[in-house]
Amino acid sequence: MQQPMSHWRGLLAARLALGLVLLYLLIPLAATLVFGLSGGHGWGDLSALSAVFGDPDFWLTLLTSLGLAAGTTLLVVLLLTPTVYQVRLRLPQGRFLLEALALLPFAVPPIVLGTGLLQEYNGAAASSPLVALLSLGLVPLLSNVFPLLDIPLLLVCAYVIVALPFAYRAIDNSLRAVDVRGLTEAAASLGAGWWQTLLQVILPNIWPGVLTAALLTFSTVMGELTLASLFNTYTFPIYLNMTGQNDPHRAALLAVLSFLLTLFCVLGMVPGSRLQAGAGRAALPGQIEGAGLR
Amino acid sequence: MAFLELQELTKSFGKTRAVERLSLEVERGEFLTLLGPSGCGKTTALRLIAGFEQPDAGRILLDQEEITTRPANRRPMGMVFQSYALFPHMTAEQNIAFGLRLRRLPSALIRQRCEELLALVGLAERARSYPHQLSGGQQQRVALARALAVEPKVLLLDEPLSALDAAVRVTLREEIRRIQQQLGMTVIYVTHDQEEALAISDRIAVMARGRLEQLGAPEEIYRRPRTVFVAGFVGASTRLSARLERAAEGRCRLDGILLRVPPQPELSDGSAVLLVVRPELVTLRQLDEASSAAADGGPGQEQENALSGTVELRTFLGAVTRFRVRAAGGQLFTVDLPGLQAGTLVPGQRVLLSFPPEACLVLPLEETGSEVAALPEWPPAAAGQPGPEREPQPEHA
């Protein structure tokens, strides 16, 4: 009789702990929502909400941030996935360098990164022969031939650097769990080229990691303030910050909207990753499950 | 002109020479096995053929066409890996269809081919199973079917059965042989398991230290090993270092005992040789006290190639019983007797062991004896079978 009692106690304690964690996470969010909706003429007044949606700056900044986040995510995934795969396959000794590079952004605060990039590409430094030499001619080319400062591409590049540590870890960990060499050689023996192998064999097996990398990059960009300010780009976090200084109720609603937006992104990505992970369990030698015949 | 030709292939990794001037010719429809211990270069040789590694020197010709530098995905070869390397996100059927889809064949044809191949490997009912839902043996069958699907000119198998348990290994190797013969496929098979190699191959290429030691039919490799290494690596044997007294008459001396061996006209008198005697060619006779005393007085003098000794170990191996017998001179013999003949022989018993002259294989030895020292231990530690763990080392005057 004692065993079931302890079992129920354990279950109750677990549920209690889970409830407490959920309360800890949800109470501030609910309070923010309540505060946002209580602006103007008391509780339930949706005028603040309609004011948010009626503000052209809201849509402008939201679309700008979404565009930047989508661009950064795309660039991160397109740059990192083939690179990490290729390094793991052909240059295992280069992994150390890649890991060091991926950790570097942690040591450089965004304000330093932003200032450095602006200094580098603003024309004065770009014309320096030393910079031209060290960058193998890329900086003068990018700053003079392609006016990077006029377009958000430089900001996207800066965001790629900021998101690099998280994205690299996610993709590299996924590749580590896969027999990259074996699968690549098996695909090659069946006639698959490099891209076919990456897209049809490797990518489906590291999909959860790539999705995690994309999600982390997306949410990082959606909440980034420092670099956007330095680059003079009017993004959603800047709009949120400015609104908060004038109208705290509207800022509270914007914060909840921002959270919901990120949540939808997560919910959109998680089922895909779970589906892939379910089908793509690693088949290791000796691993037998549901085997009837031999 | 051979179907597949390896000409002086050489491959190094850093300072390690993995394959050294390997030359081989494989005929169309032949089942050739690369056999050797770990690190002998057999897998590297296979990877060179597959195109996963590029040789430092040498050429590979397939059907009279040079493919040495051709990328792996453009070589008409199929490969089966030790780790199966099935695509985990695809079902058995999708795995098999992968190569066919790359070739943009019509869907109906792909489906039909998949069904045929699944039936060929006996997995028709597991078409929709994912690799993690299959046993090791089933996964390797799917891997085999996948490699066969693209109708390769040469099928390469890299220790495909190593990760499977013993019973499945035997069944699957027979199936691989059946399928190869049914399809008339040219196969190059890599293994370190000599029994596997002897059982399924048309020819065996024994490799050691990156070089080809001997190439021949299984019987030839077993009965007439040409080097000390092959004699030691393939099959159980008793190996004795002796010295030829009269080479042309086939007389040699082993620790003061005169033995008769087949005449060796190409060797000179006084040459150091290694005598190799297979365990099934030695007979044992129990000695009673009287004959034991007589034998002690002059071992093997009345009978040709007969030595008295003591049984040290008896191991039942099923079809045969294996004995380890220490001869009066200290030499260790491995003797296999069929179940009934093993009778009541037990450790500690005095016996007379004998073998006909033609049972002795004579291999010339280097004077240093380093060849014998480098011999692999028999049986391999993992096999857990008894045998002459400490073979008599050569003694040179």
Side-chain angles (χ1 to χ4, degrees):
Chain A
M1 194 64 193
Q2 273 201 341
Q3 212 169 10
M5 276 297 283
S6 63
H7 170 74
W8 283 111
R9 266 187 214 148
L11 203 65
L12 192 69
R15 287 187 176 177
L16 195 68
L18 184 67
L20 284 172
V21 170
L22 282 175
L23 282 176
Y24 179 81
L25 293 172
L26 291 177
I27 282 176
L29 197 68
T32 311
L33 181 65
V34 168
F35 177 71
L37 290 172
S38 66
H41 303 94
W43 164 251
D45 178 18
L46 297 179
S47 60
L49 196 61
S50 62
V52 165
F53 289 126
D55 186 353
D57 276 9
F58 168 76
W59 294 108
L60 175 76
T61 54
L62 185 63
L63 288 177
T64 305
S65 278
L66 283 174
L68 286 169
T72 309
T73 305
L74 200 65
L75 199 58
V76 161
V77 169
L78 288 181
L79 270 179
L80 271 186
T81 312
T83 309
V84 181
Y85 164 57
Q86 187 66 2
V87 166
R88 194 159 263 283
L89 187 68
R90 305 254 177 251
L91 287 166
Q93 65 274 28
R95 276 192 62 221
F96 171 74
L97 181 70
L98 210 59
E99 284 197 9
L101 275 175
L103 284 175
L104 211 57
F106 279 137
V108 184
I111 194 156
V112 176
L113 176 69
T115 314
L117 281 170
L118 286 169
Q119 287 293 322
E120 199 70 18
Y121 288 92
N122 73 354
S127 55
S128 153
L130 184 65
V131 171
L133 183 73
L134 288 174
S135 68
L136 304 173
L138 271 176
V139 168
L141 183 79
L142 290 172
S143 56
N144 298 326
V145 181
F146 307 103
L148 275 181
L149 285 181
D150 296 343
I151 52 173
L153 187 60
L154 190 62
L155 185 56
V156 168
C157 292
Y159 282 150
V160 168
I161 295 169
V162 171
L164 195 66
F166 316 107
Y168 170 76
R169 280 272 153 248
I171 294 173
D172 190 54
N173 283 345
S174 283
L175 277 168
R176 201 175 295 190
V178 173
D179 176 15
V180 173
R181 181 171 292 277
L183 293 181
T184 303
E185 289 179 350
S189 74
L190 296 167
W194 193 86
W195 279 107
Q196 285 168 318
T197 305
L198 177 64
L199 295 177
Q200 295 182 40
V201 176
I202 300 297
L203 201 57
N205 286 296
I206 60 164
W207 199 234
V210 175
L211 280 171
T212 307
L215 175 68
L216 289 170
T217 307
F218 193 87
S219 52
T220 303
V221 176
M222 284 303 288
E224 211 286 327
L225 183 73
T226 321
L227 282 171
S229 314
L230 284 168
F231 279 74
N232 248 345
T233 309
Y234 194 21
T235 60
F236 189 68
I238 292 178
Y239 171 69
L240 192 69
N241 184 42
M242 284 166 60
T243 310
Q245 287 170 8
N246 303 324
D247 185 348
H249 294 284
R250 202 198 286 189
L253 279 178
L254 285 171
V256 174
L257 279 174
S258 171
F259 170 80
L260 289 176
L261 192 72
T262 314
L263 187 68
F264 285 136
C265 290
V266 175
L267 292 177
M269 291 179 181
V270 166
S273 74
R274 286 188 63 171
L275 196 72
Q276 288 293 335
R281 282 184 50 175
L284 300 170
Q287 191 176 10
I288 302 170
E289 192 176 298
L293 289 165
R294 287 202 159 188
Chain B
M1 195 78 181
F3 183 55
L4 176 70
E5 245 183 290
L6 312 185
Q7 295 178 350
E8 304 270 310
L9 276 190
T10 298
K11 176 71 183 174
S12 298
F13 296 103
K15 287 179 182 171
T16 310
R17 182 67 56 103
V19 173
E20 194 163 358
R21 301 185 66 183
L22 176 67
S23 294
L24 258 181
E25 290 188 353
V26 186
E27 298 302 330
R28 195 188 292 269
E30 187 179 15
F31 195 119
L32 179 96
T33 296
L34 300 179
L35 173 69
S38 297
C40 73
K42 56 191 188 298
T43 294
T44 306
L46 196 77
R47 291 175 63 81
L48 288 170
I49 299 168
F52 299 141
E53 307 285 353
Q54 283 299 308
D56 301 330
R59 298 199 314 155
I60 303 170
L61 300 171
L62 178 66
D63 218 358
Q64 300 180 34
E65 193 182 347
E66 177 154 6
I67 56 162
T68 316
T69 54
R70 198 187 286 183
N73 62 323
R74 296 212 189 123
R75 295 190 188 196
M77 304 201 182
M79 179 112 172
V80 177
F81 299 82
Q82 183 182 353
S83 63
Y84 321 139
L86 289 179
F87 307 135
H89 61 296
M90 295 182 191
T91 61
E93 190 177 24
Q94 288 166 340
N95 264 283
I96 296 168
F98 182 80
L100 302 172
R101 289 194 202 290
L102 288 176
R103 284 157 180 77
R104 298 181 191 281
L105 295 181
S107 303
L109 188 65
I110 292 176
R111 207 171 310 118
Q112 185 197 337
R113 186 105 184 91
C114 286
E115 280 171 14
E116 285 170 8
L117 285 162
L118 280 164
L120 184 73
V121 297
L123 284 176
E125 75 287 3
R126 304 305 297 257
R128 288 173 203 281
S129 301
Y130 283 95
H132 71 268
Q133 295 169 321
L134 300 171
S135 70
Q138 288 172 329
Q139 287 186 52
Q140 201 55 292
R141 284 166 200 242
V142 174
L144 181 63
R146 182 180 67 174
L148 292 171
V150 293
E151 296 179 346
K153 284 186 174 177
V154 181
L155 181 65
L156 310 171
L157 298 107
D158 184 12
E159 307 214 26
L161 310 179
S162 298
L164 304 173
D165 60 60
V168 182
R169 266 208 312 264
V170 173
T171 315
L172 205 49
R173 81 178 183 210
E174 284 166 2
E175 280 202 39
I176 290 172
R177 181 61 161 158
R178 171 184 66 80
I179 291 167
Q180 181 263 336
Q181 287 179 333
Q182 191 175 328
L183 302 177
M185 177 89 55
T186 308
V187 170
I188 301 182
Y189 188 98
V190 160
T191 184
H192 62 265
D193 185 335
Q194 47 170 302
E195 188 192 318
E196 205 169 283
L198 293 170
I200 58 173
S201 316
D202 288 323
R203 283 193 304 161
I204 298 173
V206 184
M207 291 183 68
R209 298 177 293 276
R211 291 165 186 261
L212 181 65
E213 286 278 322
Q214 187 174 351
L215 178 66
E219 290 83 357
E220 187 188 339
I221 296 283
Y222 184 78
R223 301 201 191 289
R224 292 185 297 281
R226 267 194 232 126
T227 68
V228 173
F229 175 84
V230 177
F233 186 74
V234 180
S237 61
T238 297
R239 302 187 293 267
L240 309 161
S241 57
R243 197 168 283 278
L244 282 175
E245 272 198 353
R246 289 183 194 165
E249 293 173 23
R251 286 175 181 274
C252 74
R253 193 163 287 279
L254 168 76
D255 296 335
I257 306 163
L258 196 64
L259 293 178
R260 290 294 298 271
V261 298
Q264 306 291 319
E266 69 282 7
L267 296 178
S268 55
D269 291 350
S271 308
V273 290
L274 185 78
L275 304 184
V276 179
V277 188
R278 294 294 182 195
E280 65 274 17
L281 301 177
V282 184
T283 54
L284 283 185
R285 184 163 60 86
Q286 194 174 336
L287 286 174
D288 52 31
E289 277 182 29
S291 53
S292 178
D296 283 340
Q301 294 307 304
E302 319 79 23
Q303 193 182 335
E304 207 170 51
N305 290 355
L307 296 91
S308 65
T310 309
V311 175
E312 283 195 346
L313 188 70
R314 173 192 167 117
T315 312
F316 179 64
L317 297 178
V320 295
T321 302
R322 179 162 293 174
F323 294 92
R324 189 168 72 186
V325 180
R326 190 172 291 279
Q331 305 88 353
L332 269 177
F333 280 78
T334 303
V335 184
D336 282 353
L337 294 182
L340 287 173
Q341 286 181 34
T344 54
L345 289 172
V346 289
Q349 218 154 30
R350 298 276 291 151
V351 289
L352 187 72
L353 49 86
S354 59
F355 43 94
E358 55 274 18
C360 293
L361 186 85
V362 181
L363 295 167
L365 267 183
E366 287 174 7
E367 284 298 316
T368 57
S370 60
E371 279 179 283
V372 175
L375 280 176
E377 184 182 315
W378 175 260
Q385 291 178 351
E389 289 90 352
R390 286 180 57 79
E391 291 296 337
Q393 294 299 302
E395 292 170 12
H396 300 285

